Amino acid sequence: EDEQVVAEIMRRRFFPALLTHKAWEGFHFAGHEIRITEATDCYGAVVWPSALVLCYFLETNSKQYNLVDKNVIEIGAGTGLVSIVASLLGALVTATDLPELLGNLQHNVLQNTKLKCKHQPRVKELSWGIDLEKNFPRSSCHFDYIMAADVVYHHPFLDELLLTFDHLCKNDTVILWAMKFRLDKENQFVGRFQTLFDLEVISNFPSLNITLYKAMRKGRMK
């Protein structure tokens, strides 16, 4: 079953028939052809399999997780694929990442959502753990969903990542998080995450070493 679903997910990807001056990949999600421009010299500007897993889940579970008119933030949006799919499914999306990635992210979001979505998504800078209250004040920012795909990898900002999850998450916020397991230090982040949040596995793909989680603040999981 794992291999069949993974094969179906990977069939959503296509590549240009002819070489172009810009590297891009294509995807079929939410009834649309999505073209993503990549930058191979930067981890944050490449589409990783965890993003495909999360997009596939959002599309195939759109009744249970109805995104229409929901306020969604994606952290570590990278190329923007997850944010684009959530927007095409009707959500009001804020796609966030580091300042050096915003140009490519903005390009992809605009190219794939303009005049196609109920709500035009926004692109905003978010450096984990920095100026959170200033840029996302708790009193006025309320997100129904926080989405994250492959944000836990070999980097020194795991404390800041956990702080960011904590700041953005209200009592009724649902976190949908696709994680690829790589190294022990990163894998231990799951245990630290569980000190603040209840965690439920909603999909597991051993052949990709990817797990898709649903999380809410402790005691709030339904």
Side-chain angles (χ1 to χ4, degrees):
E1 182 181 358
D2 166 51
E3 292 179 356
Q4 289 177 350
V5 176
V6 168
E8 168 60 25
I9 293 172
M10 294 308 166
R11 277 195 292 269
R12 302 300 187 93
R13 167 185 265 164
F14 67 93
F15 298 93
L18 300 172
L19 291 177
T20 59
H21 69 286
K22 277 191 174 183
W24 64 270
E25 288 185 72
F27 304 89
H28 292 288
F29 286 110
H32 291 267
E33 180 180 291
I34 301 167
R35 293 192 177 194
I36 296 293
T37 300
E38 298 184 315
T40 54
D41 59 343
C42 178
Y43 286 126
V46 177
V47 177
W48 298 99
S50 293
L52 301 186
V53 166
L54 183 48
C55 289
Y56 181 80
F57 177 84
L58 294 175
E59 180 189 84
T60 55
N61 293 273
S62 59
K63 290 185 178 179
Q64 183 179 0
Y65 294 88
N66 184 355
L67 297 183
V68 176
D69 298 330
K70 296 297 193 298
N71 203 7
V72 171
I73 187 169
E74 184 186 5
I75 61 174
T79 62
L81 181 61
V82 172
S83 289
I84 291 164
V85 172
S87 297
L88 293 170
L89 291 170
L92 175 58
V93 176
T94 302
T96 71
D97 215 313
L98 295 169
E100 59 266 29
L101 297 174
L102 295 188
N104 189 58
L105 175 58
Q106 181 75 63
H107 169 77
N108 285 328
V109 167
L110 276 176
Q111 177 176 266
N112 291 286
T113 63
K114 192 174 183 180
L115 303 179
K116 298 177 183 178
C117 297
K118 185 175 183 181
H119 307 286
Q120 184 60 38
R122 297 170 292 193
V123 172
K124 188 170 181 178
E125 177 184 341
L126 173 54
S127 299
W128 297 338
I130 297 175
D131 292 331
L132 294 175
E133 182 58 29
K134 175 184 175 183
N135 296 323
F136 299 90
R138 288 180 186 268
S139 59
S140 58
C141 287
H142 182 282
F143 297 105
D144 299 295
Y145 289 94
I146 299 171
M147 296 187 183
D150 218 2
V151 293
V152 181
Y153 50 91
H154 185 58
H155 62 71
F157 304 111
L158 295 179
D159 289 340
E160 290 82 357
L161 175 58
L162 186 59
L163 183 65
T164 301
F165 272 123
D166 183 42
H167 180 84
L168 296 173
C169 189
K170 295 288 199 299
N171 283 340
D172 58 348
T173 302
V174 174
I175 299 170
L176 294 175
W177 167 29
M179 173 164 171
K180 182 175 179 68
F181 286 83
R182 295 183 178 90
L183 303 173
D184 284 345
K185 178 185 175 183
E186 296 149 18
N187 299 348
Q188 291 168 8
F189 180 82
V190 175
R192 296 172 57 197
F193 185 87
Q194 287 179 288
T195 63
L196 298 175
F197 304 100
D198 288 322
L199 204 58
E200 174 188 343
V201 175
I202 49 180
S203 291
N204 196 31
F205 302 95
S207 63
L208 296 175
N209 215 21
I210 291 173
T211 299
L212 179 58
Y213 294 107
K214 170 187 175 182
M216 295 185 75
R217 283 206 175 277
K218 277 198 165 294
R220 305 296 300 187
M221 189 80 81
K222 297 180 180 178

